[in-house]
Structure formats: structure tokens, C-alpha cells
Amino acid sequence: MTTAEALSVIPAAVLRNLSDKLYEKRKNAALELEGIVKHLTSAGDHDKINAVISLLSQEYTYSPQAHNRKGGLIGLAAVTVGLTSDAAQHLKQIVPPVLHSFSHQDSRVRYYACEALYNIAKVVRGDFIVFFNQIFDALCKLAADSDANVQSAAHLLDRLVKDIVTESEQFSIEEFIPLLRERMNVLNPHVRQFLVGWITVLDSVPDIDMLGFLPDFLDGLFNMLSDSSHEIRQQADSALSEFLQEIKNSPSVDYGRMAEILVQRAGSQDEFTRLTSITWINEFVKLGGDQLVPYYADILGAILPCISDKEEKIRVVSRETNDELRAIEADPAEGFDVGAILSVARRQLSSEWEATRIESLHWMWTLLNGHRSEVLVFLNDVFDTLLRALSDPSDEVVLLVLEVHACIAEDPQHFRQLVVFLVHSFQHDHSLLEKRGALIIRRLCVLLNAERVYRELSTILEGESDLDFASVMVQALNLILLTSPELSDLREDLKQSLVKDAGRDLLLSLYASWCHSPMAMISLCLLAQSYQHASSVIQSLVEEDINVKFLVQLHKLIHLLETPTFAYLRLQLLEPGRYIWLLKALYGLLMLLPQQSAAFKILRTRLKTVPSYSFKEEKVARTSSGIPFFNGGGGLQISEDGNPNENSHDMHNGINFGSRLKHFKQIQQQHRLHLKSETQSRFSSASSMKEL
């Protein structure tokens, strides 16, 4: 049919009124047009109907004149009503011009387009579905229309389309999802409401499996949880809650793809988004089973920071999830990536939050206990981080670091490596030794056997080229040895060094390194009850040795002699005749102290309490000052206190004290030369500065 023939079907007055500016005239013209089409439909004259539709489309709906467009839209709706059940075969001609009008600049045209499509949809119902994607796209844009009336009309049309879709068997969810996914990150609040509305409606249809496509739009829903509109946040949360409930009741869910999304959202700046994502992760860990094994590292990376979240609810759920995850027994053969999880724990060990650092260490310990061989493969990647963690401001973190270190150090080679690194750390960070040295050494002694730790430390320090550091380190170790409850067994062994092999071997293993500090050596001899050797060490000291540092150390020792550790030594003073070398050693120390010092007064007061008699042949007289002195005339010769012998020897219980004393003097000479060299160097530098 030609346009001229179409015009012959429709009276000129109808066509004229169809484009009139008055709505009533356009409406009446549409009603007449409806009647004409009904008549043509009854006659089965579809050629003329096609001609009418073509005329309305080309001359009216595509016209540059707004009134013509409005008339064309109302006319196409009237044609559809007139066609009734025959409308389906003409939809490809009718719907496209209407959809085209949705983007017209005139808001009234857009409004009439909504009205027209609404009336068309009411007639054709399910046959309408073939245009669903184009209609959905148009509605999505109209949801954000600047005109409130257009928005209202679009909303009515949207409700009708939803009704049609929910009852249609022709709707394709597979074709719809890409369309939905493209729009899920739109920020406009009206569009967001529109999208959530569709997700909710489609999910309510039993025959549509929205859960199966959830990974395609899950991120968009989470994005809406931080919307500025409370209503949108509420709608998104409601939709997510419904999906989570469906997941719990579903036998098959693609946890993996969604886990990736949740991990990203757990780091959101928005508190509610973080809480929701962590809640989902918590459920996934409980439900996901083997599916989630390859994602454990990513999940852990999301959980650990949230353990320190400022929001208590997030912290609680995160801790619960962390415990659930750690309790799962996974096999590397099943995709459990030990290296990836260890890397996450190492990275989080640098967190600013203490709770996160603590949990990172718990994970390292768990991995070591469950997958030791796999962890040791990656040891070089984590060892430096673990060592740096020994400087952590938190004592709890440091203690856990030591537990991890101790677990690694069960192997001899790693034990040696740990102690060497530890000594180097103390050497390069003196504040670490000063603030944490005692805590670290004491804890290692508990975890790894005190004797083993002290023997290894002594071996390393024996050959230390940095003499100043060696001296400081030995002094620190000596103070720990004398004062720590954890080392009481070690002290007991040393007390037996002159009579038992175990004590002797321990003394010999410490001796060489203790030579770096005269006061540490004297303390060690007093602890080992090698009083004659202690006296010899004191006698070997020269003028350069008696400096401020030495006197500070001596002051500490005098105070230590008054502690329970040396109670046995003080009781031995009740038998001055038997412990002559002890008296001589203590007098030697007294003579080295300044008379006005507190330490001098403490030691002198102690020596005044020594009895003036003896149960041995050796007589002890008392001077007019009240301080006892010993008279060697006519008595037995004592090689070591408490062990009278006819001849004095350097050997005792296999210990060559003469050789040991010689070694001590050699080491001390090295220290003197080093001190002299440093002094000369400083003097030269000062002189050079003056000349400049």
C-alpha cells in the first residue's frame, strides 16, 4: 500500500486533529483511528493496516514537529488497541518508532512515548518480550529523566513490564544479564533504584535462576551499600540478604567468583559495606568447602586487616571467620597455596594494628605446624620480616615472633641461622638489645633450651671482631644469666662446674666469650664457685681496665651479691677458713671500689659480718676495724675453696685454669689496644677539626 492509499483510509480531519496542539483533539482523533483499524482488522486487510502504521511512523512519530510526534505516538497506541489479538504481527513496525521517541529533547514527547508504550504493552502482553532489552534500556534512561512527569510515567510502564516479564515464558535471563551487568555501576540514585527493583522482581520468579548469575551483578549491589540515599542502601541490603539466604539453601553455588568480589569489598572505606562483605565471607568459609581452597590467601588478606577494624561488629565477625579458616585442614595437593598464605601473613605483619600483626604470627605458627616442609621452602622470603618484628613496640607480638622463630629453629641449621641473625640485629640496633634483649633471650631460652641458646651465643661472640659490641653483648647475657628465673637450671649447672662434667662443659663453653668483659668473667667465676680463679682474674686487672664502665658493672654485681641468686655465696662466708679464696676475691672487689660509693659500703658491711672464727685449721683474725683477714701460716694449701689439697694446681675437674687465665689476659689486651686506637683516632679527628 502507498502513502496515498493509506491517506484514503483515514479522513483528513482525523489526520489534522492527530497533530493538533490540543490534547482532546488528538485523543478524539486516536479513538477514530482505533475504530478504523478495528474495521480493517475485521476485514483482514493487513496491507492497509501496514500502510496506516507506516504513515503514522514516517509522517508523525519521526517528524521534527513535537505535536506531530505526540499525535503519531497516540495514533500507534490506538492502532494497537484496534488490532487487539492481531497486534503481535505488526509490533516490529509499531514499537521501534515509540522507542525512538524516548530520547526526544521535548519532555512531553517522552511522556507520550511512555503512555503509548504502556497502552501497547497492555494489549500485546507476552508478545512484547521480543523488545525487552530495548525497552529495558529505554526505561533505565528514563528512570533518571529530568522531568518528574516523565519519571512517573516511566515508573508506571516499568511496573507493567515487570508484570509481563514475570508471567512470560519467553523471557531470556541469559540475554538480560549482560544488559544488567553493564549498568550496575551507574551512580544515579534513580537508576540504582530501578536496577535493584528489577533484580528483586526477577529473583522472586521461581523459574528464573538469578542466583546462578549473582557473580555478574554482585559487585554492583555491594557498590550501592555506600550510596548517599538511605533508601537505596536499604534496598541493596535487602536484596543481598535475600541472596545470602538463598545461597545457604542452595546445593550448588559458584563461591569462587563471588569470593573475589567480597575480598575487594572488605577493604571498602564504607563501614556498612565492610561489615556486609565480611559477613558474606564468614558464611562462605562455613559453606564453601573445597571450592574456596584456592581463594584462602585472598580471603585471609581481607580478614586480617578487618580484625583491627574500628567497628566492633566487623572485628567480631572477622575474628570468627579467621578462626574458622585456620581450623580447616587443607592439603596443598588440593590447591591450598602455602606460599600465598605465608606471603599474606608476612605482609600483614607490617600492619600498623597490633591485633592484625598478632593474628599474622598465629597463621605463620599454624602453617609451620601443619605444613612445615612447604613453609621452609619460603623461609628466605619471611625471615627478614620476622627478624624486624623483634623490634615491634608490642611485647605480645615479640613473644609470638619468638615462638615462630623457635618453631623454625627446631632444625639445627635454622637454629644457628636464627642466633646469628639475632646477634647481628643486636649489633646493628643497640636499642633493640637495650629495650628487648632480656625479653628475647629469656623467651628463647624457654622455647629452645637455655643451655643450647647460651652455648650458641657464646660460640658466635667468641669470634666477634667488633670488640665493643662483644663486651656489651656479654654483659647483657651475663646479667640475664644471673637474674632470670628461666635460667635457674643453668645457674645450678654452673655451680657444679668443679665437681660435675655437665657444669664443667657449660663453664668452658661460656668462658671464651665471657673474656670480653672482666666483670662478666668475675660474675661467672663467682657463680661457678671458682673463687681462686675469680681472685686471679681480679689480680690480673690493670689500670686501663678500671674505668667508668667497669665501675658501673662492678656496682651492679655488688647489688646482685645481695640477691637470692647468691644466697649460697653469702652462707659460705660463715666458713671463712674453708672459703679463703672467696674472701680474697671479695676483698679484691672492695679494694677496686671508691670508698665513698654505695657499693663499697654495701660490700664492706657484708664483710664485717663474716665470723672471726673458723671450723677449720685456718684461722681468721679480725682487725680493729672489725673486718676479718686471713692468716696463711701453718694451714693447709687450698687449690679451690672447699676442696683442700696438699699441692696447688692449675687443673681442677679437667679445667686448666692457668691456660684460661692466659686466654683472658690476651683478650683483655686486645680490648686495651682497641680502646687506645679509638682514643688516638678521636684525638686526631679533634685536632683536624681545630685546624680547619
Side-chain angles (χ1 to χ4, degrees):
M1 290 289 291
T2 63
T3 302
E5 288 173 320
L7 290 171
S8 68
V9 176
I10 308 171
V14 172
L15 292 174
R16 187 171 55 252
N17 288 336
L18 201 60
S19 59
D20 197 278
K21 64 180 180 179
L22 294 175
Y23 172 73
E24 285 299 323
K25 287 188 177 183
R26 293 197 303 271
K27 182 179 177 182
N28 290 330
L31 289 171
E32 288 188 49
L33 188 59
E34 179 186 329
I36 293 168
V37 172
K38 279 183 179 179
H39 177 71
L40 292 173
T41 303
S42 299
D45 198 344
H46 287 280
D47 288 340
K48 288 183 179 179
I49 294 171
N50 286 334
V52 170
I53 294 171
S54 178
L55 174 68
L56 291 172
S57 299
Q58 299 303 321
E59 301 298 327
Y60 287 84
T61 56
Y62 289 118
S63 169
Q65 299 298 320
H67 292 311
N68 282 7
R69 279 184 175 258
K70 296 172 190 176
L73 291 167
I74 197 170
L76 287 173
V79 168
T80 307
V81 174
L83 284 166
T84 58
S85 60
D86 289 342
Q89 59 186 294
H90 296 281
L91 283 179
K92 288 184 179 179
Q93 286 177 279
I94 296 171
V95 174
V98 178
L99 290 174
H100 179 74
S101 298
F102 279 132
S103 57
H104 195 271
Q105 61 184 9
D106 189 326
S107 62
R108 296 302 295 168
V109 171
R110 298 197 301 274
Y111 176 84
Y112 281 113
C114 289
E115 185 182 70
L117 197 58
Y118 181 89
N119 289 325
I120 293 167
K122 275 206 308 184
V123 173
V124 298
R125 302 299 291 184
D127 294 322
F128 194 57
I129 295 298
V130 292
F131 296 99
F132 175 77
N133 282 6
Q134 296 98 306
I135 294 169
F136 180 85
D137 185 55
L139 286 172
C140 191
K141 293 172 183 174
L142 291 177
D145 201 280
S146 57
D147 188 279
N149 290 324
V150 175
Q151 278 192 31
S152 178
H155 180 66
L156 288 172
L157 174 60
D158 179 51
R159 284 169 55 184
L160 176 60
V161 174
K162 283 173 181 171
D163 289 341
I164 293 170
V165 167
T166 55
E167 65 187 27
S168 172
E169 295 179 359
Q170 300 175 28
F171 176 74
S172 173
I173 184 66
E174 290 81 4
E175 293 179 13
F176 169 69
I177 289 298
L179 202 65
L180 176 65
R181 185 174 56 232
E182 287 174 16
R183 290 155 179 75
M184 283 305 291
N185 289 321
V186 173
L187 299 179
N188 185 281
H190 299 292
V191 176
R192 283 184 161 182
Q193 280 187 304
F194 170 78
L195 294 172
V196 175
W198 268 99
I199 290 170
T200 303
V201 165
L202 292 176
D203 188 46
S204 67
V205 180
D207 295 333
I208 297 178
D209 179 24
M210 284 294 280
L211 184 60
F213 294 96
L214 182 56
D216 291 286
F217 55 87
L218 180 64
D219 190 59
L221 280 176
F222 267 94
N223 206 22
M224 295 179 191
L225 290 176
S226 57
D227 196 278
S228 57
S229 164
H230 174 72
E231 187 177 357
I232 293 172
R233 290 198 306 272
Q234 201 169 38
Q235 288 176 345
D237 179 47
S238 177
L240 285 167
S241 298
E242 183 61 34
F243 278 119
L244 185 57
Q245 192 59 46
E246 290 176 34
I247 288 170
K248 292 178 184 178
N249 299 327
S250 176
S252 61
V253 177
D254 184 359
Y255 289 102
R257 281 182 63 197
M258 290 189 283
E260 294 176 357
I261 296 167
L262 298 174
V263 163
Q264 293 296 321
R265 290 298 170 181
S268 170
Q269 295 295 314
D270 179 66
E271 183 180 293
F272 187 52
T273 304
R274 290 199 309 278
L275 176 60
T276 307
S277 61
I278 285 293
T279 302
W280 274 61
I281 289 173
N282 179 270
E283 293 295 341
F284 275 29
V285 169
K286 294 174 183 175
L287 301 168
D290 296 342
Q291 275 198 54
L292 285 178
V293 171
Y295 301 93
Y296 277 4
D298 293 336
I299 291 172
L300 183 63
I303 291 170
L304 288 177
C306 289
I307 282 174
S308 303
D309 201 278
K310 60 184 180 182
E311 172 57 42
E312 184 182 2
K313 290 180 182 177
I314 297 175
R315 293 198 303 271
V316 169
V317 178
S318 298
R319 283 196 174 279
E320 181 185 322
T321 310
N322 182 61
D323 293 342
E324 290 274 355
L325 196 64
R326 199 162 56 223
I328 297 172
E329 295 182 5
D331 192 328
E334 298 171 353
F336 183 71
D337 194 338
V338 173
I341 292 175
L342 193 63
S343 178
V344 169
R346 178 188 61 78
R347 190 165 59 249
Q348 293 299 331
L349 193 52
S350 302
S351 166
E352 62 179 305
W353 306 109
E354 179 184 357
T356 295
R357 299 197 302 275
I358 287 171
E359 287 308 317
S360 298
L361 289 164
H362 280 312
W363 267 99
M364 288 186 177
W365 189 88
T366 300
L367 290 173
L368 274 165
N369 277 273
H371 307 280
R372 182 177 183 80
S373 58
E374 289 87 352
V375 172
L376 293 182
V377 170
F378 301 99
L379 189 58
N380 290 336
D381 298 334
V382 299
F383 207 80
D384 287 344
T385 305
L386 281 169
L387 285 168
R388 286 195 298 273
L390 290 171
S391 304
D392 197 279
S394 162
D395 283 352
E396 187 175 354
V397 170
V398 172
L399 292 174
L400 281 170
V401 170
L402 291 171
E403 290 212 21
V404 174
H405 273 304
C407 197
I408 295 170
E410 288 176 9
D411 300 328
Q413 80 222 47
H414 294 128
F415 173 75
R416 168 77 181 179
Q417 188 181 12
L418 167 62
V419 181
V420 167
F421 269 109
L422 193 57
V423 170
H424 285 172
S425 299
F426 287 147
Q427 186 172 4
H428 293 112
D429 185 2
H430 283 256
S431 65
L432 177 64
L433 176 60
E434 182 182 335
K435 297 175 183 177
R436 286 282 168 70
L439 176 69
I440 292 170
I441 299 298
R442 289 170 61 184
R443 189 60 187 162
L444 279 182
C445 285
V446 171
L447 296 169
L448 291 171
N449 181 280
E451 182 173 344
R452 185 186 179 200
V453 172
Y454 260 72
R455 281 178 178 270
E456 193 64 45
L457 285 167
S458 181
T459 301
I460 294 167
L461 292 171
E462 182 181 347
E464 177 58 56
S465 58
D466 184 344
L467 297 179
D468 289 335
F469 168 69
S471 178
V472 170
M473 187 72 193
V474 165
Q475 288 168 18
L477 290 173
N478 184 66
L479 185 61
I480 296 167
L481 174 64
L482 295 178
T483 58
S484 301
E486 296 89 343
L487 275 73
S488 59
D489 290 343
L490 213 60
R491 292 195 292 271
E492 288 302 315
D493 286 343
L494 283 169
K495 289 177 187 177
Q496 305 296 319
S497 58
L498 299 184
V499 293
K500 289 186 177 179
D501 293 345
R504 176 199 63 204
D505 294 343
L506 179 58
L507 176 64
L508 292 176
S509 71
L510 301 182
Y511 192 97
S513 59
W514 256 242
C515 286
H516 286 296
S517 168
M519 195 47 58
M521 178 58 72
I522 294 167
S523 303
L524 182 64
C525 291
L526 293 178
L527 187 60
Q529 303 191 68
S530 301
Y531 300 135
Q532 182 177 3
H533 191 63
S535 180
S536 299
V537 169
I538 294 168
Q539 293 291 332
S540 72
L541 299 176
V542 298
E543 179 183 343
E544 294 97 314
D545 298 329
I546 317 301
N547 53 33
V548 174
K549 290 181 180 177
F550 175 87
L551 290 174
V552 169
Q553 292 293 314
L554 179 53
H555 179 85
K556 290 180 181 177
L557 176 60
I558 300 306
H559 280 81
L560 281 171
L561 291 176
E562 296 298 315
T563 64
T565 298
F566 285 102
Y568 70 93
L569 182 148
R570 299 195 299 275
L571 289 173
Q572 287 170 352
L573 292 175
L574 292 172
E575 302 180 76
R578 185 181 178 192
Y579 294 97
I580 290 176
W581 289 112
L582 171 57
L583 275 173
K584 187 171 183 180
L586 294 178
Y587 273 116
L589 296 177
L590 186 69
M591 293 304 107
L592 294 175
L593 286 164
Q595 288 192 34
Q596 299 307 312
S597 67
F600 179 88
K601 294 172 183 175
I602 290 170
L603 183 55
R604 184 179 63 175
T605 302
R606 175 61 64 186
L607 288 171
K608 280 183 178 181
T609 64
V610 175
S612 57
Y613 58 87
S614 172
F615 299 109
K616 296 285 186 180
E617 293 183 25
E618 193 72 36
K619 300 296 182 183
V620 180
R622 189 175 291 276
T623 63
S624 58
S625 66
I627 298 177
F629 70 92
F630 41 86
N631 178 6
L636 294 174
Q637 297 297 312
I638 309 294
S639 61
E640 282 296 338
D641 291 350
N643 295 279
N645 209 330
E646 292 185 0
N647 299 300
S648 179
H649 296 291
D650 288 334
M651 293 289 296
H652 195 86
N653 194 26
I655 305 174
N656 188 334
F657 281 108
S659 172
R660 299 291 161 187
L661 183 62
K662 184 178 179 181
H663 180 70
F664 171 76
K665 290 179 179 179
Q666 289 173 346
I667 298 298
Q668 284 304 302
Q669 182 60 22
Q670 291 177 19
H671 277 269
R672 295 181 196 117
L673 292 173
H674 171 69
L675 180 62
K676 188 178 293 184
S677 173
E678 278 199 334
T679 304
Q680 289 175 349
S681 177
R682 284 196 296 269
F683 179 76
S684 299
S685 298
S687 300
S688 299
M689 290 297 292
K690 285 181 180 179
E691 290 175 7
L692 291 172

